[in-house]
Amino acid sequence: MTAVAARAGASQREEMARWTAELHGVITAMFESLDGSSLVESVWERTGGGGGQSRLLADGRVFEKAGVNRALVEGPLPPEAAVRLGVHLSAGSTPHFFATGVSVVAHPRSPKVPTVHLNVRYFELSDAEGNLRDAWYGGGMDLTPMHPISEDARHFHGVLKRACDGFNPAIYPEYKARCDAYFRNPHRDNEARGVGGIFFDHVRPTEQPFGMDAATLHRFVDRVGRLLESAYAPLVREHRDEPYTERDRALQLFRRARYVEFNLLHDRGTLFGLQTGARTESVLMSLPPVAAWPAPTPVQPGSIEAALAAMLVPQDWVAGG
Amino acid sequence: MTAVAARAGASQREEMARWTAELHGVITAMFESLDGSSLVESVWERTGGGGGQSRLLADGRVFEKAGVNRALVEGPLPPEAAVRLGVHLSAGSTPHFFATGVSVVAHPRSPKVPTVHLNVRYFELSDAEGNLRDAWYGGGMDLTPMHPISEDARHFHGVLKRACDGFNPAIYPEYKARCDAYFRNPHRDNEARGVGGIFFDHVRPTEQPFGMDAATLHRFVDRVGRLLESAYAPLVREHRDEPYTERDRALQLFRRARYVEFNLLHDRGTLFGLQTGARTESVLMSLPPVAAWPAPTPVQPGSIEAALAAMLVPQDWVAGG
């Protein structure tokens, strides 16, 4: 690699580092405003390179637990992660990876307020000589209602669709379908984790996805990273002070258990984090503060449990979706 | 295979089916006696062959949730399970498997009463022509205290050691070490799930383990299957009516979350069950009724949290262990 190319690579990584740091700040401020309390930051370093800043809101007024994490990790790619990513560089060389991203999971106290997940990340692979071999973005956001409020799903998907349509009307349907395909529990008859949203991975600037050049693709991912304010915050403000019953809470704890099952059994992000030496507490901040696996009971037709289950069947939440 | 050999194989499987049915009954009766309430049975059938009888005690006086399951499953070995078992029969043939076992996980209401897990199972592999290719036993039992009561661990291990010593004094140290090696969370700095017990797998009658012939090996595994009465029931009776605090309960919910993490991230039995088409509700009956992932807090020296953590470091609980 020439010195010029090396400097260009380093400058690109610095720009991505500044980007995730800025998003981290914006999202942190939003949760502090919604809850009226401060997130507590803990900083961790990764053996092998990099680290992260985990910000946690625990026992807040609105959020029982919310994590807003940033990570920037780099170094030799661990073998398990290489297998998972399908990476085969030339024999004998150890690929070097660089990844930075922001991850958010919010578990509200009230069952009337849905749980939300957001992630945006940038990933690079280099060979042993420092030559960039591959680079991509991944991310998305999805909503997990704990109470059957269809309007919330329509609002959330509507905001996502409009944001995507601003770049290319073909984006939302494809990334919405990928989200529906990804966030489901095969061991639970493919039940969805929630009502979905958008999801994308391995989106390469070099491939000009949906006709976007590298700068436009970056703006798109950045836009996704800033969508919580319009897609999610209004749902929190609308429902956070509504009354709820013990039965509502029981349904929330039941749905949260399915969330745990997905994250521990199937989520590639969780496995990648645990395999690449990210701090366990930060990787697993996505797990709910409390979850329940009660004795199975039949779902009564017409009940809130039945209505919520019906919402989990993937469907078009907005016209044109 | 000759007709005589086929009949011998069928008769052996029938005997194993009767054996697990009997153990199922003995253990069910013990839990009903300890709790003073009845377990509710649900029967399931497996697509591909076999099924199970799941018995659940939910919201009992003593047990918040206890599952006593029996399964007898057979049929073509699913490919993922073959990979996991390292099975390579001749190319083009699909191995046939037969498995029957009893699994128990009990989550008491009181944090003063430890959680217990027991499993015994018999497994056979045949080739496409019906010839027996391999057969083995697996099983074990282990204790997960939710409160630091060292005497309980000493009692539990003492009973296990004496039972094993009756067959061969070399059994307990080896199976105790296997249990310590198996029930740990690599992603939590190898923290143990509990204080261990004994664990064994792929123990083949043909190999005369510890000098035991096939009949003696079967008696050994049967003995393990009946040990709850002497190893565990006394702990339940001693602690079930002791008072406890909210802090004790919080520690219990925290430890239960680690139990969930082990079972979903690392337990081979759980993965095998989900991969071979056992009923999900029965496989996951091991998950606690309620678990908590609170914000991480430092452990104070001298606290119950510190004392319990110290118990989770694998150690000799009985002389000669």
Side-chain angles (χ1 to χ4, degrees), chain A:
Chain A
M1 184 168 66
T2 66
V4 172
R7 278 201 302 276
S11 135
Q12 165 84 346
R13 290 193 287 274
E14 279 166 24
E15 187 184 316
M16 291 300 167
R18 281 194 298 274
W19 170 56
T20 55
E22 186 188 334
L23 280 182
H24 197 211
V26 168
I27 297 169
T28 301
M30 187 200 82
F31 278 99
E32 295 191 334
S33 160
L34 283 173
D35 196 273
S37 47
S38 297
L39 278 70
V40 175
E41 178 170 283
S42 61
V43 173
W44 55 273
E45 292 191 7
R46 176 180 169 272
T47 310
Q53 300 85 43
S54 301
R55 293 179 185 161
L56 185 69
L57 175 54
D59 276 323
R61 188 176 75 84
V62 177
F63 294 98
E64 199 172 341
K65 184 178 176 185
V68 182
N69 291 356
R70 171 180 181 259
L72 187 158
V73 294
E74 58 187 328
L77 187 66
E80 308 86 350
V83 169
R84 186 163 290 275
L85 290 169
V87 171
H88 299 286
L89 293 192
S90 52
S93 79
T94 300
H96 183 281
F97 80 104
F98 168 90
T100 185
V102 172
S103 291
V104 178
V105 176
H107 292 285
R109 189 175 295 286
S110 167
K112 297 290 181 74
V113 184
T115 281
V116 77
H117 162 242
L118 165 86
N119 171 247
V120 292
R121 57 191 180 273
Y122 173 75
F123 198 99
E124 268 189 20
L125 277 178
S126 314
D127 61 20
E129 289 72 45
N131 301 300
L132 182 66
R133 285 307 196 85
D134 203 353
W136 66 82
Y137 291 92
M141 57 193 297
D142 63 283
L143 194 74
T144 303
M146 304 290 173
H147 197 79
I149 308 173
S150 298
E151 296 71 22
D152 288 357
R154 282 195 285 273
H155 168 84
F156 186 80
H157 276 274
V159 171
L160 266 52
K161 180 180 188 306
R162 285 190 294 279
C164 292
D165 285 357
F167 291 84
N168 186 322
I171 294 176
Y172 172 76
E174 177 162 338
Y175 289 177
K176 192 262 189 199
R178 286 198 203 175
C179 191
D180 286 338
Y182 182 74
F183 290 103
R184 56 193 179 75
N185 269 320
H187 70 288
R188 295 287 190 186
D189 291 326
N190 266 334
E191 182 185 73
R193 188 174 79 167
V195 296
I198 57 173
F199 177 79
F200 53 97
D201 201 4
H202 299 279
V203 176
R204 297 179 167 82
T206 52
E207 293 174 355
Q208 306 227 338
F210 301 100
M212 295 185 280
D213 61 16
T216 308
L217 173 60
H218 183 79
R219 278 200 300 116
F220 168 73
V221 183
D222 178 64
R223 181 91 183 80
V224 172
R226 294 169 194 271
L227 277 178
L228 285 173
E229 184 62 56
S230 50
Y232 180 64
L235 308 180
V236 178
R237 292 192 194 95
E238 181 179 350
H239 300 299
R240 64 185 167 192
D241 296 319
E242 289 175 4
Y244 59 87
T245 66
E246 277 187 33
R247 180 173 176 168
D248 296 336
R249 173 71 172 173
L251 177 55
Q252 179 193 43
L253 297 190
F254 171 78
R255 296 293 345 151
R256 282 181 176 174
R258 297 293 169 93
Y259 207 91
V260 171
E261 290 178 20
F262 175 81
N263 287 23
L264 295 184
L265 284 171
H266 307 298
D267 186 46
R268 292 196 293 262
T270 300
L271 292 172
F272 182 82
L274 296 179
Q275 284 171 348
T276 52
R279 195 182 63 156
T280 295
E281 281 296 349
S282 298
V283 174
L284 298 186
M285 67 97 195
S286 63
L287 299 181
V290 186
W293 284 264
T297 46
V299 172
Q300 301 299 326
S303 64
I304 54 168
E305 293 82 9
L308 185 52
M311 284 182 68
L312 299 183
V313 178
Q315 55 202 273
D316 287 347
W317 289 105
V318 284

Side-chain angles (χ1 to χ4, degrees), chain B residues 27-45:
Chain B
I27 297 168
T28 301
M30 188 200 81
F31 278 99
E32 295 191 333
S33 161
L34 283 173
D35 196 90
S37 47
S38 296
L39 278 71
V40 176
E41 178 170 282
S42 62
V43 173
W44 56 274
E45 290 191 8

Side-chain angles (χ1 to χ4, degrees), chain B residues 104-217:
Chain B
V104 179
V105 176
H107 292 286
R109 190 176 293 286
S110 167
K112 298 291 181 73
V113 184
T115 282
V116 78
H117 163 243
L118 164 87
N119 171 247
V120 291
R121 57 191 180 275
Y122 173 75
F123 199 97
E124 268 189 19
L125 277 177
S126 314
D127 61 21
E129 289 71 43
N131 303 300
L132 182 66
R133 285 307 196 85
D134 204 353
W136 66 81
Y137 290 92
M141 57 192 298
D142 62 283
L143 194 75
T144 303
M146 304 289 173
H147 198 78
I149 308 174
S150 298
E151 296 71 22
D152 288 357
R154 281 194 287 274
H155 168 83
F156 186 80
H157 275 274
V159 171
L160 267 53
K161 179 179 188 305
R162 284 190 296 277
C164 293
D165 285 357
F167 291 83
N168 186 321
I171 294 176
Y172 172 77
E174 177 162 338
Y175 288 178
K176 192 263 188 196
R178 286 199 204 173
C179 191
D180 286 339
Y182 183 74
F183 289 103
R184 57 195 177 76
N185 268 322
H187 68 289
R188 295 289 190 185
D189 291 326
N190 266 334
E191 183 186 73
R193 189 174 78 168
V195 295
I198 57 172
F199 177 79
F200 52 96
D201 202 3
H202 299 279
V203 176
R204 297 179 167 83
T206 53
E207 293 175 354
Q208 307 228 337
F210 300 100
M212 294 184 281
D213 62 18
T216 308
L217 173 60

